[in-house]
Amino acid sequence: MRVLLVEDDSTLRAQLRAGLQDAGYAVDEADNGRDGHHLGAGEAFDAVILDLGLPVLDGISVLKRWREAGLTLPVLILTARDSWHEKVAGIDAGADDYLAKPFHMEELLARVRALIRRAQGLASPLLQCGALTLDTRSSRVTLNGQPVALTSHEFRLLAYLMHRPGSVVSRTELTEHLYAQDFDRDSNTIEVFVGRLRRKLPPDTIETVRGMGYRLVTPP
Ligand code: CA
């Protein structure tokens, strides 16, 4: 899962980036509205955290431009404390949720999880595929109740697939959603991570669909 973070306060941005990365997300960031808009319009993200008070281009304008261009990705806006009119303007501009400053990292993470889940039509934070369970709250994976040790890349890959059970996901899509822009992307690494993940999961959990990509198979 890949998240775009648009926040001009460098201290807050660093805190949010660290918290999001710890929770297993790939994070791209911008410190002004123009760069944030450009990234959101041109790159693939699973969710956006958008501050409203931004230099160069304000957050509401960024959001309006994305929505006018038909971008449907989930957006969580950060608003000033007690500013109900900002919340209203943000939601009217196309925000999916809001969080007033100051907030706890745990609440932000919970809201981001919920946005990503809902975008895939999933109701529960507990994702299941046969004996395999992924708890999006703790970023833990278990198989028949036993913990499965995964690296952050393996976890991100599995989480992306488990949010889309039964759907074919291409290597390109995986590459776009698993790595931040500055990461040295190579589609061969996806095959390497799939191979590593397969060795830790029951056989045939991740099916290769020839010429198309991969699919998470739920056992009957
Ligand atoms: Ca700001």
Side-chain angles (χ1 to χ4, degrees):
M1 298 291 172
R2 186 178 173 200
V3 172
L4 171 61
L5 171 62
V6 190
E7 166 63 64
D8 59 319
D9 179 330
S10 58
T11 308
L12 180 58
R13 196 173 65 246
Q15 285 168 357
L16 294 179
R17 181 184 58 226
L20 287 162
Q21 286 174 338
D22 283 350
Y25 298 102
V27 182
D28 289 73
E29 52 189 282
D31 63 3
N32 67 78
R34 186 191 53 215
D35 292 350
H37 171 262
H38 183 73
L39 269 173
E43 295 280 323
F45 293 100
D46 297 288
V48 179
I49 297 160
L50 178 67
D51 183 33
L52 291 188
L54 290 169
V56 191
L57 186 66
D58 68 275
I60 295 282
S61 302
V62 171
L63 188 51
K64 278 185 181 160
R65 288 185 192 186
W66 283 337
R67 295 313 190 210
E68 279 163 15
L71 257 78
T72 59
L73 80 175
V75 176
L76 170 72
I77 52 169
L78 305 181
T79 67
R81 190 162 56 112
D82 297 333
S83 178
W84 63 267
H85 57 274
E86 258 196 9
K87 292 168 194 160
V88 173
I91 290 165
D92 280 344
D96 299 276
D97 200 359
Y98 66 84
L99 201 51
K101 296 178 180 180
F103 52 81
H104 288 280
M105 190 66 207
E106 285 307 317
E107 184 175 2
L108 177 123
L109 291 174
R111 288 179 185 275
V112 170
R113 283 195 294 273
L115 286 179
I116 291 175
R117 212 163 64 211
R118 274 189 241 125
Q120 301 305 323
L122 302 169
S124 168
L126 219 53
L127 307 180
Q128 278 184 308
C129 174
L132 190 66
T133 302
L134 185 148
D135 190 336
T136 58
R137 296 162 298 190
S138 58
S139 304
R140 293 222 169 85
V141 175
T142 55
L143 182 61
N144 293 311
Q146 297 301 308
V148 181
L150 299 177
T151 64
S152 61
H153 281 101
E154 290 164 0
F155 174 81
R156 220 179 277 163
L157 172 61
L158 182 62
Y160 194 81
L161 293 173
M162 284 193 80
H163 276 81
R164 294 157 182 79
S167 301
V168 180
V169 179
S170 71
R171 277 189 197 90
T172 308
E173 181 177 344
L174 285 170
T175 308
E176 284 172 352
H177 284 267
L178 300 188
Y179 307 118
Q181 202 180 28
D182 55 5
F183 192 85
D184 179 22
R185 294 186 199 171
D186 176 353
S187 64
N188 291 326
T189 53
I190 292 291
E191 283 178 61
V192 173
F193 286 126
V194 168
R196 286 185 195 161
L197 201 48
R198 276 181 171 146
R199 288 196 282 277
K200 298 181 179 183
L201 303 179
D204 306 325
T205 303
I206 302 174
E207 180 191 21
T208 300
V209 182
R210 197 188 298 233
M212 294 179 71
Y214 302 101
R215 175 163 53 198
L216 189 80
V217 180
T218 309

